[in-house]
Amino acid sequence: KNGGSKEESSADVSDKDKRYQGDISQWFTQHQTGFVSSPGLEKDITVHFNSLRGSVARLRIGDKVDFRLEENRGGRPQAEDVVVIDAPKRERINGICASWNQSRRTGVLTSNDYKSGRENIHCVATEIIQKTDGDKPKLTMPIMELRSGESVEFEVEIDSQGRPQAYN
């Protein structure tokens, strides 16, 4: 480790078809980036949100992933074509944006699918919340603003303050 972050591997990226498996060792939601550890590599490899495949848009520490290595713009190996192969079940729920404060980039969501439907679910703009059109996702890119009344799809976890928090 170097200054609290993982060192990046000097792995050989010449075999573009070779796939590796590993575990997410760090994930930084605000930057949508993290690191994956793999027994076949000396050091942890950078992984970015844009490299994810499938319906998972957020990784968690401990998720098992399958990936290829490619060289990033800085000439370092980076995980690409990342697929989650084993992760805790993530139940997605539909809800509504009850309020949004753009200057603070935070808001409150509600959902009849969560507990009694009357509990506020906090949301910060650094999370990717998927807008929906009925049952279909509307966008897959990171969304930094919501409007009251918009339909959204998300997961709920309890944050460090004991409040329900919306995640993607």
Side-chain angles (χ1 to χ4, degrees):
K1 291 185 180 179
N2 214 357
S5 66
K6 300 274 185 176
E7 291 181 33
E8 294 183 45
S9 175
S10 57
D12 178 19
V13 295
S14 61
D15 185 356
K16 301 254 186 228
D17 294 326
K18 183 171 181 178
R19 298 202 59 91
Y20 297 84
Q21 291 187 355
D23 299 322
I24 299 301
S25 57
Q26 291 185 11
W27 185 255
F28 306 101
T29 299
Q30 286 185 308
H31 304 290
Q32 295 298 313
T33 189
F35 293 94
V36 58
S37 297
S38 177
L41 302 171
E42 288 178 23
K43 299 177 185 174
D44 287 2
I45 300 294
T46 302
V47 60
H48 189 270
F49 159 77
N50 292 331
S51 301
L52 298 177
R53 302 294 171 253
S55 62
V56 175
R58 177 177 182 261
L59 295 172
R60 293 193 181 113
I61 294 172
D63 284 354
K64 295 191 182 315
V65 295
D66 181 84
F67 61 97
R68 289 183 302 103
L69 285 180
E70 282 191 13
E71 202 170 280
N72 67 17
R73 287 184 229 172
R76 297 186 190 128
Q78 177 174 306
E80 290 294 332
D81 192 25
V82 179
V83 179
V84 175
I85 55 176
D86 187 25
K89 185 175 186 236
R90 296 176 177 157
E91 186 176 338
R92 300 193 60 76
I93 59 176
N94 291 311
I96 301 288
C97 178
S99 65
W100 188 258
N101 183 327
Q102 185 57 24
S103 63
R104 289 186 169 193
R105 299 171 71 97
T106 62
V108 174
L109 309 177
T110 59
S111 173
N112 290 332
D113 298 336
Y114 185 72
K115 295 192 175 182
S116 67
R118 292 183 289 254
E119 189 161 357
N120 289 338
I121 303 163
H122 299 272
C123 173
V124 294
T126 54
E127 278 302 322
I128 303 164
I129 303 300
Q130 212 169 43
K131 293 181 184 180
T132 60
D133 183 8
D135 291 336
K136 299 176 187 161
K138 214 174 181 181
L139 298 172
T140 57
M141 294 299 293
I143 298 165
M144 301 303 278
E145 176 181 9
L146 292 173
R147 291 184 176 82
S148 292
E150 281 188 306
S151 296
V152 291
E153 179 185 83
F154 53 95
E155 299 171 21
V156 177
E157 287 183 2
I158 303 302
D159 69 12
S160 61
Q161 298 170 2
R163 302 181 308 181
Q165 174 76 47
Y167 291 101
N168 190 33

